[in-house]
Each structure stands twice: as C-alpha cells, then as structure tokens.
Amino acid sequence: IGFCLNRIFFFMVSVTITNLLLVGLAVRLVLIAYAEWQDTHFEVKYTDIDYTVFTDGARFLTQGQSPYLRATYRYTPLLAWLMTPNIFLHPAMGKLLFTLVDLFVAHRIFSALHQLFRLPERRAVLWTATYLLNPIIFNVSTRGNADTLVVAVVVGTLENVLRKKTVLGGLWHALGMHFKLFPVIYTPIFVLYLVHAEKLHKAKQKLHSPHTGLLLPRNPVLLVFRVINETLHSVWALQFLVTSAVTFFGLFWMYYSSYGLVFLHETYLYHFTRVDHRHNFSIYFYDMYLSLVETYYATLESTAGPTTGMTFEVLFMKVASFLPQGITLLAVSLCLFQHLALGVTLITWLFVVFNKVYTVQYFVWFMALLPLVLPQCKPFTNGQQWRRYIARWVFCVVLWVAALATWLFFAYQLEFKSQPTFWMIWLAGVAFFFVNTLAILMLVCTFQPEPQPGVRK
C-alpha cells in the first residue's frame, strides 16, 4: 500500500499536461473497447441509446435522406454529419470523436488556468485532472453522449470572452446555441462582462480616470435602460452580439431551408415541452408523472380526447417551471458579471438543478467549469483555517455522491425490475436538489475574488 501511495504521489507531482492527456486518452480507449464487450454480453448496455439514434440519423444522411426520419432524432443535422464515420469506418468512431473533444476541453481548461488565471503549471495540471479523470465525465463521453460537444463550445466561448476575442467568442457562442439552444442563457453575462471590461480598458488609458467599470443602478427601470445604453456604446459587446446572431441565424437558415419545420421543432421547440417521467432527477419529476397519468385516463374517459382543463394544467406547469430558472439566472448575471468564470458556472449549475428535465449527462455541463472556479475558493487559496474548509467540502461531496447513488438505486428498480418506485425516485430527487443547493452555497461562500484575468506573457 505504501509503495502504491508513493507511486501515485510521484505521478501527481511530476505529471505534465501532455502526460495527463495521454492518461485520459488511454482510460477512454479502454472504456470504448469494454463497451463493445458489455453491449453484447449484458442486459444493461454500456452504450447510451442516444448514440444509436445519432448513428441511425447519420445512416439516413448517407442515403440522401433526412436524419429526422429516425424517430426521436431531436438534434441538429450537423451532429448526424459528424457521426457519418460510424457508417463508413466503425460504429465506435463517434465515441472516439467525443473522446478527442474531451481532450480538447481539458487542454483549454489548462490553458485558461495557466495563462488567464496565472496558476503555476503544476497546479493547473492537477485541477485539469479533476475534469479529465472525473468518472462521470469519461463515462458520458465513452457511452456516446454528445453533451461533450456542448461543453466544448461553452468552454471555448468563455475562454475567448475572457481573452476579449469578441468575434471568435461570438462564433463559439453561436455554434453552441446551434447544437443546443440552452447556451443562450449565457448571453446577458457575456455582454455585461464585455461592457465592463471595455470600460475598464478605456479608463486605464486615461491617467486620471477612475477604474470603476460598469456600475448598475438598483432601480429596475433605470437598470434596463442603463444596460441597453451601455451595450449600444460598447464595441466589444456589439461585436460579440452581431457575430453570434449572424452565425446562428446563418446556420439556422441553412438547415431550415433543407428540412423545414421538422428541423425547427425537433432541434429547438421540442425541448421546451419535453416531458421525461422515467430518467429524471428534477424536482418536477413526480408532478409530470402524475399529470401524464391523469391525462391518459382523461383521454380514455372522454370521446373527444384530452380535456381542455388538463391540457391547460400541464401547459401551466411547463411554463411556470421556467420562472425560478429565469429569476436566478438573471440575478446571477447582474451580480457576478465581473467574475465571469464563477458567474457562468453558477448559471449552468442553477439551470440544471432547476430544469424540469435533467439526467446524468447534464452534470457534465457544470463539472467542466468547476476547475476554473475551485482554485479561487478556500481552502485551495492557501488561506487560514483550511482544514475546516476541507472538511466541509469533503462532507458536501459525500452527501452529493450518496444522494446520487440513492436516486440511481430506485431508478434501477423502476427501469429493470419494474418496481413502482416513482414516489421514492421523486424523494431522492428532492434530496439531490437540496444537496446541489448546498454545494452551490458552499461555492459562493468560499469564493475569493481574484484580480481580472490577463494573459501570461
């Protein structure tokens, strides 16, 4: 045991970013090979069912047909084009692509930590390892889930905005919204940050000008007018917005002209009304399940189909579920735009835990951003009383894992044992919600603001 611990310590101290990427690649290649074996020998498949949907959509494309001929294909046709090597070369080529994207994300995290946040190289490598060697991260990508692509464009956008590369950041942002519409939630905080950063930049060029940046009034009406006015007078913010809009609508029109309304509905509109009552951590899970059951029985009892009252109830629930998200995301954008990495991380995490549908792959969205924020939190800043903060973080992580395991246990009973565990799944989901809320509070309370990031010379 002592020898093993010594080897592990030696590896963690001497590892470079290149070696870390090679280790991450090796782990993922082993899991991809293992997936081929498990899929043919076990009842529970390793490969995600969505990967089969991607591959079938790519098959239709190679035959000159629409990927939307495949039932439940609810993604951009661009994803199906990326999956065409599954048809021509090998069915696991898509997983290899997701693995390479994982490595790209890890490299960008390292670059941001080392160059923008000025962490020493060794510390930057160790924090990058918390993403690359995270079991949930490499499990999601090697199972063939495409959320790693969304993570890549979000991290790419964040890094370029921090570097004040507004046009490139706008391109990344548009690509992210094309793959999944949810990155649009970052637009306010990106714009506010660029307005603030440009005002600071201009102030520094004037010798006697105070470096105040963007100051927002408390009055809601004045706040709206101030944000609009400052945005219209910010070259950086306008460059970002115009580039994002032109690129997004250009991609949208290209595929809309080819596939029509089915592209609009399946890629974007469907996700506003999506209901998932079997694989869902959401606190709205049980309400959705009961609504579906009541709607089903109302349909059986009515000769005219579902009753209008029930339809209105379900619709109201779907719309109302967006209110907590909207309020919290707007509040974070207005309060934390000066600390962009923390703000984007909190926006992502809050969006996930307040969403009416979220599954394991959604965890990747905020886990990829945590390495950019945690180095600025106690005790990782070498502050006082670090043992107390370490104990709190360990306790929080243990609670998170325990709540997740509890949910997975009851979900397994429902899915594979056909046990009616809906009530227990919902209770586990509520517990998981509160644990996530506790972790978010821990992140905010222990965060120690650093100076504005700059590029290491």
Side-chain angles (χ1 to χ4, degrees):
I1 295 176
F3 175 79
C4 293
L5 292 176
N6 181 61
R7 292 292 91 191
I8 293 174
F9 176 78
F10 176 79
F11 170 78
M12 297 303 291
V13 170
S14 61
V15 70
T16 63
I17 185 60
T18 302
N19 293 337
L20 178 64
L21 293 175
L22 290 176
V23 171
L25 175 61
V27 171
R28 285 159 173 79
L29 291 178
V30 169
L31 288 174
I32 291 174
Y34 170 77
E36 297 293 314
W37 178 79
Q38 179 174 327
D39 289 347
T40 57
H41 290 83
F42 282 83
E43 175 188 10
V44 180
K45 306 297 182 184
Y46 185 90
T47 301
D48 196 311
I49 185 63
D50 289 342
Y51 188 72
T52 304
V53 176
F54 305 154
T55 303
D56 291 343
R59 183 174 292 105
F60 279 114
L61 272 183
T62 60
Q63 297 170 355
Q65 302 181 73
S66 169
Y68 299 107
L69 292 176
R70 202 312 182 173
T72 72
Y73 185 88
R74 299 187 174 101
Y75 314 92
T76 169
L78 180 57
L79 179 58
W81 281 113
L82 293 175
M83 294 296 104
T84 51
N86 288 6
I87 310 302
F88 296 123
L89 299 176
H90 189 276
M93 290 302 296
K95 295 180 181 181
L96 181 59
L97 170 65
F98 298 152
T99 291
L100 295 178
V101 172
D102 257 356
L103 301 183
F104 168 79
V105 173
H107 188 270
R108 299 329 301 159
I109 290 174
F110 169 78
S111 176
L113 289 172
H114 185 47
Q115 297 181 353
L116 292 175
F117 295 102
R118 296 186 171 92
L119 257 66
E121 182 177 358
R122 184 175 300 171
R123 286 190 64 199
V125 170
L126 294 179
W127 280 111
T128 304
T130 63
Y131 167 81
L132 195 60
L133 302 182
N134 186 323
I136 293 179
I137 301 293
F138 58 65
N139 176 262
V140 167
S141 60
T142 56
R143 291 183 68 224
N145 195 282
D147 282 86
T148 183
L149 297 175
V150 181
V151 168
V153 293
V154 171
V155 171
T157 307
L158 175 60
E159 182 190 9
N160 281 284
V161 170
L162 286 172
R163 294 180 185 273
K164 319 303 186 296
K165 296 181 178 180
T166 53
V167 174
L168 191 56
L171 292 173
W172 278 104
H173 190 48
L175 186 60
M177 292 187 293
H178 178 73
F179 270 103
K180 276 184 183 283
L181 194 57
F182 99 88
V184 72
I185 65 177
Y186 304 123
T187 303
I189 195 170
F190 283 147
V191 170
L192 290 172
Y193 174 81
L194 288 172
V195 172
H196 172 72
E198 186 175 4
K199 289 178 71 68
L200 285 177
H201 177 72
K202 290 180 179 179
K204 289 178 181 179
Q205 294 179 336
K206 301 177 182 179
L207 296 179
H208 302 289
S209 177
H211 298 176
T212 57
L214 176 62
L215 299 177
L216 297 178
R218 294 184 178 182
N219 186 296
V221 178
L222 295 178
L223 173 64
V224 172
F225 281 103
R226 172 67 65 83
V227 169
I228 295 175
N229 180 66
E230 295 288 356
T231 301
L232 293 177
H233 288 83
S234 171
V235 176
W236 292 358
L238 289 176
Q239 285 178 338
F240 177 81
L241 286 173
V242 171
T243 304
S244 299
V246 170
T247 306
F248 173 77
F249 286 109
L251 290 170
F252 175 85
W253 179 252
M254 180 175 67
Y255 287 117
Y256 182 81
S257 60
S258 299
Y259 301 102
L261 288 175
V262 66
F263 161 71
L264 174 62
H265 178 267
E266 300 293 348
T267 306
Y268 300 115
L269 298 183
Y270 163 80
H271 298 282
F272 286 98
T273 58
R274 176 186 174 189
V275 175
D276 188 342
H277 65 286
R278 296 186 72 86
H279 303 84
N280 197 350
F281 291 91
S282 173
I283 55 175
Y284 302 105
F285 158 78
Y286 199 61
D287 191 33
M288 286 190 294
Y289 167 69
L290 293 179
S291 298
L292 288 174
V293 173
E294 291 173 2
T295 303
Y296 173 75
Y297 282 112
T299 303
L300 294 181
E301 296 173 0
S302 174
T303 57
T307 61
T308 56
M310 182 59 61
T311 301
F312 174 78
E313 178 187 348
V314 175
L315 179 62
F316 177 79
M317 183 198 72
K318 292 176 180 177
V319 175
S321 65
F322 288 106
L323 292 179
Q325 281 182 316
I327 294 172
T328 54
L329 300 185
L330 183 60
V332 172
S333 298
L334 293 174
C335 296
L336 292 175
F337 63 87
Q338 297 183 32
H339 308 290
L340 187 60
L342 175 64
V344 170
T345 303
L346 291 179
I347 286 174
T348 309
W349 204 340
L350 289 167
F351 178 82
V352 169
V353 299
F354 277 98
N355 206 25
K356 60 185 176 65
V357 175
Y358 77 96
T359 52
V360 172
Q361 58 263 32
Y362 287 33
F363 300 162
V364 178
W365 298 359
F366 61 83
M367 284 183 172
L369 299 169
L370 285 175
L372 300 175
V373 179
L374 287 176
Q376 301 180 58
C377 295
K378 304 172 184 177
F380 310 114
T381 54
N382 297 320
Q384 297 178 350
Q385 300 178 331
W386 62 271
R387 290 184 178 86
R388 184 179 66 180
Y389 290 109
I390 281 287
R392 291 178 179 178
W393 275 108
V394 170
F395 176 71
C396 194
V397 171
V398 171
L399 275 183
W400 195 91
V401 173
L404 174 62
T406 303
W407 187 96
L408 291 173
F409 171 78
F410 291 114
Y412 176 83
Q413 297 297 317
L414 170 66
E415 187 67 22
F416 296 100
K417 303 298 182 180
S418 299
Q419 298 295 320
T421 57
F422 292 98
W423 174 250
M424 299 306 299
I425 289 175
W426 177 71
L427 288 178
V430 172
F432 195 50
F433 172 82
F434 282 108
V435 171
N436 275 283
T437 304
L438 174 63
I440 291 171
L441 290 174
M442 279 283 296
L443 185 66
V444 174
C445 293
T446 60
F447 181 76
Q448 292 182 319
E450 295 288 343
Q452 291 295 319
V455 179
R456 180 186 290 271
K457 301 298 183 182

